[in-house]
Amino acid sequence: MSSPLIPRLHGFGTTIFAEMSALALRTGAINLGQGFPDSDGPSAIKEAARAAIADGLNQYPPGRGLPVLRAAIADHQARHYGLDLDPDQQVLPTVGATEGIASSILALVEPGDEVVTFEPYYDSYTAMFALAGVAHRTCVLRAPEFAVDPDELRAAFSSRTKLVLLNTPHNPTGKVFSRDELQLIADLAQEHDAFVVTDEVYEHLTFDGSTHIPIATLPGMADRTLTIGSAGKTFSLTGWKVGWVTGPADLVQAALTVKQYLTFSGGGPFQAAVAEGLRLGQPLLDELHEAMDHRRHLMVEGLRQIGFDTWLPQGTYFAIGDARPLGWDDATDLCWQLPDLCGVVAIPVSGFHDDPSANASLLRFAFCKDEDKIREGLRRLQSLG
Ligand code: PMP
Ligand code: GLN
């Protein structure tokens, strides 16, 4: 029998992350695929969630989010980036960044519009474009630099472009967009009078002095940009699904209109706990950052020794390995065989592309895992060399 799923969503069957985590479970392989940390976030934040539940914060939070969380997010954006936001109108907690992305896209584009984004891209973007019924055009980021090709980016814009979807620091490449690249995106968005939705869930995971610059801080951009963050990534609490959208009041209101019919609201006690986490501030972020940085080096040095071409990522918790020096041109093929070959799961970067032949030999390895697990994964991968 043919699938009852609407044709626009054909091809979106199961996410590559779920597929690869299921493969790891089925085969008992070490999961260096899906990006969730092995070690849970700070105990002070978990304690705050327990206290919120014990204190009876267990009914619907307001659709606009708990005031204490909105205030903490506004304060965070001011402290880190000098962005001045009214917590009552310019901040919207969401059910993970995923709902923030969905609400923003569904609120701002409709059939006939076009969206510009970068490839490889996080999978929920294109699923949402499909739900919204909009076409997307892309600028491809290619290994090893993953730099923006200005001509390719310009060519992706048209008179129909209504929205640019940006992700920096970038999953899966680990790239942090430079100020010049962001300025070009900003110029093109302004020239075409397009909105920008910017997914900045890895904002606190940048390394080696590379700086995360929110595009909303560039001249003229604050009024046309919705910025998305996630406590899941910031505090290693991915299962809590607390994210947020910030921006000008009219765009936030538009996202809220959609959000209230997706979930209305969610995660009451977790919202309160995340507010506490944001209040605890820098020492907490530094601690998490240091642990990730150590694992980043461990992973990349290990991959290099095995024989992958690899580069230290500037951001996120993902490292890329190019399998060509090991004799593999097709990373998808390799990823499906990897559990049998050596008991490891990784994600093929082609899963983040329209055209699976782009970046075809690249694998993504998550280093947000316990050090022992990374070491054992690397030990097993040595048999590829
Ligand atoms: N954006 C990117 C780039 C991601 O990697 C992820 C995965 N965590 C998300 C959004 C989704 O974030 P959340 O879990 O907060 O919904
Ligand atoms: N963001 C996570 C990753 O890139 C996956 C989240 C999910 O499974 N949807 O691995």
Side-chain angles (χ1 to χ4, degrees):
M1 210 170 70
S2 63
S3 165
L5 184 68
I6 53 169
R8 285 195 295 204
L9 288 190
H10 286 181
F12 288 95
T14 307
T15 80
I16 188 75
F17 311 113
E19 218 161 28
M20 288 299 166
S21 279
L23 179 66
L25 215 60
R26 219 165 43 237
T27 58
I30 287 194
N31 190 355
L32 302 179
Q34 196 176 25
F36 59 89
D38 278 335
S39 310
D40 289 344
S43 39
I45 308 184
K46 288 187 289 186
E47 191 44 53
R50 274 190 286 269
I53 291 170
D55 290 349
L57 210 63
N58 299 304
Q59 308 307 327
Y60 298 128
R64 268 196 182 271
L66 287 184
V68 68
L69 177 57
R70 280 189 269 121
I73 294 166
D75 183 55
H76 171 273
Q77 296 302 95
R79 199 166 66 239
H80 288 278
Y81 311 121
L83 288 164
D84 185 20
L85 299 168
D86 173 353
D88 294 332
Q89 296 192 57
Q90 296 186 268
V91 177
L92 177 63
T94 50
V95 179
T98 307
E99 193 197 34
I101 293 162
S103 308
S104 303
I105 292 171
L106 295 173
L108 298 179
V109 288
E110 61 182 349
D113 295 333
E114 283 182 7
V115 180
V116 170
T117 193
F118 296 87
E119 266 187 77
Y121 46 68
Y122 184 59
D123 62 351
S124 84
Y125 307 163
T126 41
M128 285 305 129
F129 301 155
L131 274 185
V134 294
H136 67 275
R137 298 210 201 180
T138 62
C139 172
V140 178
L141 308 169
R142 293 179 178 82
E145 301 293 330
F146 301 111
V148 174
D149 177 334
D151 294 332
E152 195 173 323
L153 180 59
R154 244 180 236 110
F157 280 79
S158 79
S159 57
R160 290 172 180 261
T161 306
K162 179 92 179 290
L163 177 74
V164 181
L165 206 162
L166 170 68
N167 169 216
T168 182
H170 184 259
N171 178 8
T173 65
K175 169 192 175 64
V176 176
F177 281 66
S178 70
R179 185 174 287 280
D180 286 351
E181 289 173 329
L182 293 172
Q183 189 60 60
L184 177 62
I185 297 164
D187 290 345
L188 287 166
Q190 292 183 27
E191 205 176 291
H192 290 81
D193 197 19
F195 300 117
V196 174
V197 171
T198 176
D199 176 347
E200 304 186 355
V201 300
Y202 300 102
E203 62 192 311
H204 293 297
L205 287 171
T206 60
F207 306 103
D208 299 334
S210 59
T211 315
H212 168 61
I213 305 170
I215 196 167
T217 61
L218 268 54
M221 291 307 291
D223 285 348
R224 61 175 72 240
T225 302
L226 282 176
T227 303
I228 290 166
S230 169
K233 302 296 157 170
T234 294
F235 296 124
S236 297
L237 294 163
T238 59
W240 285 16
K241 295 297 274 191
V242 176
W244 49 84
V245 178
T246 59
D250 56 344
L251 293 189
V252 169
Q253 180 62 43
L256 172 61
T257 302
V258 175
K259 184 243 168 353
Q260 63 186 347
Y261 297 113
L262 291 179
T263 59
F264 179 62
S265 67
F270 299 116
Q271 288 195 23
V274 167
E276 177 66 12
L278 289 170
R279 264 201 310 270
L280 292 171
Q282 204 55 44
L284 217 55
L285 296 174
D286 288 345
E287 206 176 300
L288 291 166
H289 183 273
E290 197 181 311
M292 285 302 173
D293 197 11
H294 185 70
R295 290 162 204 203
R296 178 179 72 118
H297 282 280
L298 183 66
M299 179 69 89
V300 170
E301 274 153 31
L303 292 175
R304 188 168 293 136
Q305 274 169 23
I306 290 160
F308 286 97
D309 269 344
T310 186
W311 313 272
L312 273 171
Q314 300 164 291
T316 75
Y317 37 48
F318 305 114
I320 296 288
D322 187 334
R324 272 176 305 185
L326 295 167
W328 293 83
D329 290 338
D330 183 342
T332 305
D333 191 21
L334 175 55
C335 283
W336 281 107
Q337 292 192 47
L338 216 44
D340 285 341
L341 287 172
C342 60
V344 172
V345 158
I347 306 268
V349 170
S350 60
F352 300 67
H353 278 278
D354 285 345
D355 170 7
S357 70
N359 288 325
S361 57
L362 306 186
L363 288 80
R364 190 195 78 173
F365 295 91
F367 56 80
C368 50
K369 307 295 181 183
D370 285 347
E371 283 188 32
D372 285 351
K373 189 184 274 188
I374 297 175
R375 282 204 185 85
E376 174 59 14
L378 290 167
R379 193 191 63 73
R380 294 180 181 195
L381 284 164
Q382 272 164 8
S383 64
L384 291 178

